[in-house]
Amino acid sequence: MAKIKVYLIVILVMFFWGLNIVGIKTVVTYMDALTMTAIRISIAAIIVLTMLYIMKKLRKVSQYELKWLVIGSVLGVFIHHILLAVGIENTTATNSSIIVGFSPLLTMVFALIFGFSKFNLIQFLGFILGLWGIVVAVTKGFNVSTSFAIGDIIVFLSIASQCLSFLVIRKLSNSMDSMLITGYLLLIGAGMLLITSLLFNFNSWKTLHEVSPFNYLIVLLSALLATAVGQTLYNYAISKIGPAETAIFTNFNTIFALLASSMLLNETILMVQIIGCILIIIGVLFGTGSIQEIIRNRRKVNNTDI
């Protein structure tokens, strides 16, 4: 029963993250992407730091931790969120959600490259299958008249940057609470985003009064549910059921985003794109080693019962 509750929590987080893609797509139509991102992450940082203060988890960090926090923030907050907003602005929410679904597998690849884990043949085949699924879904079945839009490439780079930040977070988790890491990453990232937006896009701040209250509501909900609460609950789930089992649920992110894109933005989802998503999901399950780990855990349980 306890595990079912955790599963439901993770699915709820994926629902928030899936809707977040559609929300960003809607807002960047009326608000500058960089300015919107700076405001959204700043709100999320305030929320998480307030939660940490109430829970009495705030503390000073060492110089070693600060160094990695800055690196993680540059990758996972500053670069990731800017590229994600700009990328979504230049492609469809459907394509963005498909590419985001490749995140767990890309994290596994970077973990291999930087020596955090080892790759076996099944995981390699999973990576190839997932990559094939992205190409099939985004190009609509290798349609010669369809190619990767610049926004698709930018979204992929944003996911790659975020995946690299996961390795930094893993390194920091040896000495810091995961929620504390999240709070400081958002704080540092928000500062960099605000400074960059004010220096290079100051005119966009002068037009914020023209943005409708509805779009501000979307930004607020995105900061609260997707970034602050969502990331906190996701970290909680990892602590309860482990990263491998939690990673499986990230596939719901793509599914919810696709459904929301169809219902809220009237974007057409083709059968070949659904097939591509299925390939991505299968690739992620095998590429991250989730299937293998679940099988091993079930065998242990069965052997214990015997």
Side-chain angles (χ1 to χ4, degrees):
M1 184 62 68
K3 265 199 170 186
I4 292 177
K5 290 181 180 179
V6 177
Y7 292 159
L8 292 175
I9 287 174
V10 183
I11 292 175
L12 178 64
V13 172
M14 294 306 111
F15 176 71
F16 290 157
W17 288 0
L19 286 181
N20 188 50
I21 292 176
V22 178
I24 292 175
K25 177 65 178 178
T26 302
V27 174
V28 293
T29 305
Y30 305 98
M31 186 185 297
D32 174 73
L34 176 58
T35 303
M36 180 275 296
T37 302
I39 294 173
R40 184 170 67 88
I41 300 303
S42 296
I43 295 173
I46 293 171
I47 293 172
V48 175
L49 290 173
T50 301
M51 292 168 60
L52 285 166
Y53 178 77
I54 294 173
M55 298 168 66
K56 298 181 179 180
K57 286 188 175 183
L58 274 179
R59 68 166 177 83
K60 293 182 179 180
V61 297
S62 65
Q63 289 187 349
Y64 172 83
E65 291 171 335
L66 180 60
K67 178 186 72 174
W68 286 106
L69 282 170
V70 171
I71 294 173
S73 188
V74 169
L75 292 171
V77 180
F78 184 70
I79 295 178
H80 165 65
H81 285 287
I82 288 179
L83 293 182
L84 183 63
V86 173
I88 291 176
E89 188 178 15
N90 290 279
T91 187
T92 64
T94 299
N95 280 14
S96 298
S97 60
I98 291 170
I99 296 170
V100 167
F102 196 60
S103 174
L105 205 50
L106 194 58
T107 303
M108 188 68 172
V109 173
F110 285 140
L112 168 70
I113 294 174
F114 291 99
F116 282 83
S117 62
K118 296 180 180 179
F119 232 180
N120 57 41
L121 179 60
I122 293 178
Q123 290 173 312
F124 176 74
L125 293 176
F127 171 76
I128 298 300
L129 187 62
L131 184 59
W132 185 31
I134 286 182
V135 176
V136 168
V138 175
T139 63
K140 300 177 178 63
F142 298 103
N143 189 329
V144 294
S145 62
T146 306
S147 59
F148 283 100
I150 184 64
D152 298 329
I153 298 173
I154 294 174
V155 170
F156 182 82
L157 292 175
S158 78
I159 297 305
S161 179
Q162 184 187 45
C163 291
L164 285 171
S165 75
F166 290 157
L167 303 184
V168 176
I169 292 172
R170 179 176 176 180
K171 192 176 187 69
L172 283 167
S173 63
N174 294 326
S175 62
M176 295 181 67
D177 177 80
S178 58
M179 187 176 177
L180 186 63
I181 295 172
T182 302
Y184 279 123
L185 288 177
L186 290 174
L187 177 64
I188 296 170
M192 290 188 289
L193 287 167
L194 285 170
I195 292 172
T196 303
S197 178
L198 289 171
L199 287 177
F200 297 98
N201 218 0
F202 183 73
N203 288 333
S204 65
W205 291 84
K206 298 178 181 178
T207 60
L208 289 179
H209 66 280
E210 300 175 3
V211 180
S212 69
F214 176 72
N215 283 292
Y216 277 119
L217 177 62
I218 294 177
V219 173
L220 177 61
L221 290 176
S222 173
L224 174 62
L225 299 178
T227 305
V229 175
Q231 191 62 55
T232 300
L233 291 178
Y234 188 79
N235 291 339
Y236 167 78
I238 290 177
S239 68
K240 292 298 181 181
I241 62 176
E245 197 167 347
T246 307
I248 296 175
F249 289 88
T250 58
N251 297 293
F252 284 99
N253 182 0
T254 298
I255 295 171
F256 284 133
L258 285 173
L259 292 175
S261 299
S262 176
M263 292 186 293
L264 301 179
L265 299 181
N266 296 318
E267 293 185 1
T268 302
I269 301 175
L270 304 177
M271 179 57 66
V272 69
Q273 291 179 300
I274 296 176
I275 293 173
C277 287
I278 293 174
L279 292 175
I280 294 172
I281 292 173
I282 296 173
V284 167
L285 291 176
F286 283 96
T288 58
S290 299
I291 290 293
Q292 298 93 308
E293 183 166 333
I294 290 174
I295 292 174
R296 285 195 297 268
N297 289 337
R298 289 193 177 278
R299 284 177 179 175
K300 290 180 181 179
V301 172
N302 293 334
N303 291 336
T304 302
D305 293 338
I306 293 174

